[in-house]
């Protein structure tokens, strides 16, 4: 068994360039979901700590950060990305300790992508231009960009560092200052990120970090703070609605990436071996705790049985185990509460008439930790809760279909609209079907392939707005039109 040489860390707030405990001294325990052991303590912040952080961010916005040139900001951002890569092994270990995900996944995806977010946006900011319009011979109009102001960044627990840097990098590139609120379940890499920002030369107060919970805690205080100009939130849809209500009184600018119940449509003419290889990932990577996972699988009837035979066989080969073991493909779920929620849906699937083809239980020999075998369910009606509600675990349903019209009706019959995948070798069908799916991103013959210049976000209750490339800067900047009479 491979084990990490990096020790867990206790997590303090980072406000105005220094680490500090909560003003009242309160802390909470950070738990390891793979062992159920305490990793360390976390400072529990609330309204007072959030207010200190927002005040620091406001001072920095109109102070040292504003005085830096774009080239100076870009150099600092590139340094942040470089330092993330220099500390890759440490960050990957902390991420796997916090989340229960396999170490190889943290090392190969989470941490490299976190660094790339900074490198990408530091390069992309150089390409941003604004419009100029000549109004006959009467006037010349041109637009200038300026930072929105103080940004609140509220982050989920499934991809902690990757998603925090996805927000932080464009916010800083645009000249904003920030207050970060990581998920209470995964505080460690956010704490190291604050240290990295300081070491890279970010002025005091530009990047602030407050740990804590959501309701009646740091999250609620950040959402409702009158001096926070915008909020970017990634997480569960119900929480997004609460944040939106809290932000309404000050009309904060909002960017939400929320839940998903994403379809994976497999036509009979597709390459089944390629489909299986990718569908294993889109179903079960990161324990299925990815908002983009394809948890509703629809297979054209001619390929239904062959797909199921191969998919079940390959799923049974996936090794569920301790995150730092080399052979582990599926780690532990994030918490006991989440484990009970996911397994509750599996019990519900049986009550609703479903058949568990594989998985659905704790693996043998793993009596401690929140482990669950990857689970494939068939025989459910399209109206069943298990088919319609986000489970956010290693659980998928598989349903046959007979026509494009039928599958599109089922695919779009949902409150969600984050992503979808279409598998076919028919070029016309690929364009035809992809163009009718109500989702923010549709992959054809692939999954999780991202060009960071492209728009990313969800429709319906899967989100508000788009991020990526210019779309991120549209959120993190304000435009002023200047009209010059000629």
């Amino acid at each position: 068994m491979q084990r990490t040489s990096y020790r867990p860390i206790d997590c303090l707030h980072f406000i105005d360039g220094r680490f500090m405990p909560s003003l009242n001294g309160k802390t909470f325990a950070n738990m390891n979901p793979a062992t159920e052991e305490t990793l360390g303590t976390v400072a529990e912040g609330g309204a007072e700590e959030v207010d200190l952080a927002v005040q620091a961010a406001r001072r920095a916005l109109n102070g040292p950060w504003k005085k830096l040139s774009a080239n100076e900001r870009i150099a600092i951002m590139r340094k942040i990305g470089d330092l993330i890569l220099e500390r890759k092994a440490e960050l990957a270990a902390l991420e796997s300790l916090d989340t229960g995900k396999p170490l190889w996944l943290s090392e190969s995806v989470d941490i490299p992508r976190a660094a790339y977010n900074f490198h990408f946006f530091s390069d992309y900011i150089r390409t941003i231009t604004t419009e100029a319009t000549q109004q006959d011979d009467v006037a010349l109009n041109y637009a200038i960009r300026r930072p929105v102001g103080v940004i609140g960044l509220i982050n989920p627990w499934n991809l902690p560092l990757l998603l925090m840097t996805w927000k932080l990098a464009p916010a800083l590139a645009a000249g904003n200052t920030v207050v970060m609120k990581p998920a209470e379940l995964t505080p460690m890499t956010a704490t190291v990120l604050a240290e990295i920002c300081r070491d890279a030369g970010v002025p005091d107060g530009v990047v602030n970090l407050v740990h804590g919970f959501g309701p009646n805690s740091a999250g609620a205080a950040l959402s409702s703070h009158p001096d926070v100009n915008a909020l970017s939130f990634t997480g569960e849809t119900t929480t997004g609605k609460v944040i939106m209500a809290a932000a309404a009184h000050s009309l904060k600018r909002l960017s939400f990436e929320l839940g998903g119940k994403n379809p994976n449509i497999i036509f009979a003419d597709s390459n089944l071996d390629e489909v299986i290889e990718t569908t294993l990932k889109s179903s079960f990577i990161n324990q299925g705790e990815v908002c983009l996972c394809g948890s509703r699988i629809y297979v054209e009837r001619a390929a239904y049985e062959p797909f199921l035979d191969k998919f079940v066989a390959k799923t049974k080969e996936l090794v569920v185990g301790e995150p730092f073991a080399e052979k582990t493909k599926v780690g532990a779920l994030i918490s006991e509460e989440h484990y009970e929620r996911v397994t509750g849906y599996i019990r519900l699937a049986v009550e609703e008439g479903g058949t568990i083809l594989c998985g659905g239980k704790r693996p043998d020999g793993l009596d401690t930790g929140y482990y669950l075998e990857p689970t494939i369910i068939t025989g459910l009606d399209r109206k069943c809760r298990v088919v319609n509600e986000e489970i956010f675990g290693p659980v998928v349903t598989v349903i046959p279909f007979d026509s494009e019209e039928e599958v599109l009706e089922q695919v779009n019959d949902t409150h969600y609209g984050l992503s979808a995948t279409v598998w076919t070798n028919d070029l016309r069908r690929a364009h035809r079907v992809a163009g009718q799916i109500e989702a923010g991103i549709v992959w054809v013959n692939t999954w999780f392939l991202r060009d960071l210049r492209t728009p990313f976000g969800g429709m319906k209750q899967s989100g508000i707005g788009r991020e990526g490339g210019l779309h991120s800067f549209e959120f993190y900047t304000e435009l002023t039109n200047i009209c010059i009479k000629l």
Side-chain angles (χ1 to χ4, degrees):
M1 179 178 292
Q2 176 187 353
R3 291 196 176 275
T4 176
S5 59
Y6 290 98
R7 298 177 61 84
I9 61 172
D10 291 324
C11 299
L12 297 173
H13 310 301
F14 184 75
I15 298 174
D16 206 11
R18 67 183 183 94
F19 286 99
M20 58 174 284
S22 295
L23 296 176
N24 59 10
K26 290 182 68 175
T27 63
F28 61 94
N30 183 24
M31 305 298 293
N32 184 338
T35 65
E36 301 180 48
E37 297 172 342
T38 299
L39 291 166
T41 60
V42 186
E44 183 179 341
E48 289 182 293
E49 289 78 15
V50 166
D51 188 55
L52 286 177
V54 172
Q55 290 180 38
R58 180 64 59 188
R59 288 192 299 271
L61 178 70
N62 297 312
W65 192 232
K66 185 177 182 179
K67 295 176 183 178
L68 293 181
S69 68
N71 284 337
E72 288 172 323
R73 284 205 311 273
I74 288 168
I76 290 173
M77 290 184 57
R78 289 207 64 85
K79 183 64 175 177
I80 295 172
D82 293 342
L83 290 177
I84 289 173
L85 291 179
E86 287 181 19
R87 299 179 68 169
K88 173 183 170 182
E90 173 193 5
L91 287 164
L94 295 178
E95 203 76 304
S96 288
L97 285 169
D98 252 354
T99 63
K101 71 177 64 185
L103 180 62
W104 64 264
L105 184 59
S106 295
E107 290 178 331
S108 63
V109 177
D110 294 59
I111 310 309
R113 170 64 188 279
Y116 181 61
N117 285 337
F118 275 97
H119 289 157
F120 170 82
F121 282 108
S122 64
D123 290 338
Y124 194 83
I125 189 65
R126 296 184 187 276
T127 72
I128 300 298
T129 60
T130 54
E131 61 197 75
T133 305
Q134 185 165 340
Q135 188 177 345
D136 298 323
D137 295 326
V138 177
L140 175 66
N141 292 271
Y142 63 93
I144 61 171
R145 291 188 185 275
R146 67 187 72 206
V148 170
V150 177
I151 313 293
L153 307 179
I154 303 178
N155 211 47
W157 46 256
N158 60 326
L159 302 168
L161 190 64
L162 188 160
L163 290 176
M164 186 63 83
T165 56
W166 175 240
K167 303 174 186 299
L168 180 60
L172 294 183
N176 299 283
T177 57
V178 305
V179 179
M180 305 185 294
K181 209 298 280 185
E184 63 271 17
L185 295 171
T186 53
M188 290 196 292
T189 53
T191 304
V192 175
L193 177 61
E195 181 182 322
I196 286 173
C197 288
R198 179 195 63 190
D199 294 347
V202 175
D204 293 350
V206 172
V207 174
N208 303 276
L209 167 68
V210 178
H211 295 287
F213 298 92
N216 304 310
S217 185
L222 187 59
S223 302
S224 60
H225 199 290
D227 287 331
V228 172
N229 302 104
L231 284 169
S232 178
F233 168 72
T234 299
E236 197 266 334
T237 299
T238 301
T239 305
K241 294 177 181 179
V242 173
I243 292 174
M244 191 172 187
H249 76 281
S250 56
L251 294 178
K252 298 186 197 315
R253 181 177 293 199
L254 299 175
S255 176
F256 284 173
E257 196 239 295
L258 305 176
K261 189 68 175 179
N262 310 302
N264 183 3
I265 307 169
I266 301 166
F267 287 96
D269 68 331
S270 56
N271 183 318
L272 200 53
D273 290 334
E274 184 181 4
V275 169
I276 296 295
E277 179 183 359
T278 302
T279 301
L280 286 170
K281 297 175 185 176
S282 67
S283 300
F284 305 126
I285 199 168
N286 205 55
Q287 301 71 246
E289 295 168 330
V290 179
C291 55
L292 298 167
C293 275
S295 55
R296 291 186 293 154
I297 302 175
Y298 298 91
V299 187
E300 193 170 12
R301 196 172 300 276
Y304 182 71
E305 292 298 338
F307 169 83
L308 276 180
D309 290 343
K310 289 189 175 185
F311 187 46
V312 170
K314 288 293 184 181
T315 298
K316 289 180 177 179
E317 294 176 4
L318 295 175
V319 176
V320 182
E322 202 266 346
F324 294 91
E326 293 182 0
K327 294 183 179 180
T328 293
K329 294 299 181 184
V330 179
L333 296 180
I334 188 66
S335 67
E336 180 179 14
E337 179 183 5
H338 190 59
Y339 176 85
E340 292 299 329
R341 180 179 184 275
V342 174
T343 54
Y345 272 106
I346 295 173
R347 293 190 293 272
L348 177 62
V350 176
E351 296 173 9
E352 291 183 326
T355 300
I356 310 297
L357 295 188
C358 68
K361 59 181 177 36
R362 177 184 289 274
D364 295 335
L366 292 173
D367 299 325
T368 302
Y370 310 118
Y371 294 99
L372 180 65
E373 292 178 343
T375 304
I376 301 172
I377 304 170
T378 59
L380 290 176
D381 180 81
R382 59 186 286 189
K383 295 297 183 182
C384 291
R385 287 180 56 197
V386 175
V387 176
N388 285 280
E389 297 177 11
E390 185 179 36
I391 299 173
F392 215 64
V395 180
V396 298
T397 58
V398 186
I399 298 173
F401 70 89
D402 294 299
S403 68
E404 287 181 27
E405 294 75 18
E406 175 194 358
V407 74
L408 282 167
E409 181 184 353
Q410 294 188 57
V411 160
N412 290 331
D413 185 17
T414 175
H415 295 299
Y416 295 109
L418 185 56
S419 74
T421 304
V422 178
W423 290 95
T424 179
N425 284 324
D426 184 326
L427 180 62
R428 292 182 177 180
R429 170 186 282 160
H431 287 289
R432 187 169 60 240
V433 172
Q436 296 181 73
I437 296 174
E438 297 167 358
I441 183 169
V442 179
W443 284 290
V444 177
N445 297 335
T446 187
W447 178 76
F448 210 69
L449 182 59
R450 288 280 291 119
D451 183 328
L452 301 192
R453 296 170 296 181
T454 60
F456 178 79
M459 297 181 181
K460 303 178 184 178
Q461 294 189 27
S462 285
I464 297 173
R466 295 293 184 270
E467 295 181 335
L470 180 61
H471 307 280
S472 290
F473 290 103
E474 292 292 345
F475 176 71
Y476 289 112
T477 61
E478 292 279 15
L479 280 174
T480 296
N481 184 75
I482 297 175
C483 178
I484 306 294
K485 185 177 181 181
L486 298 177

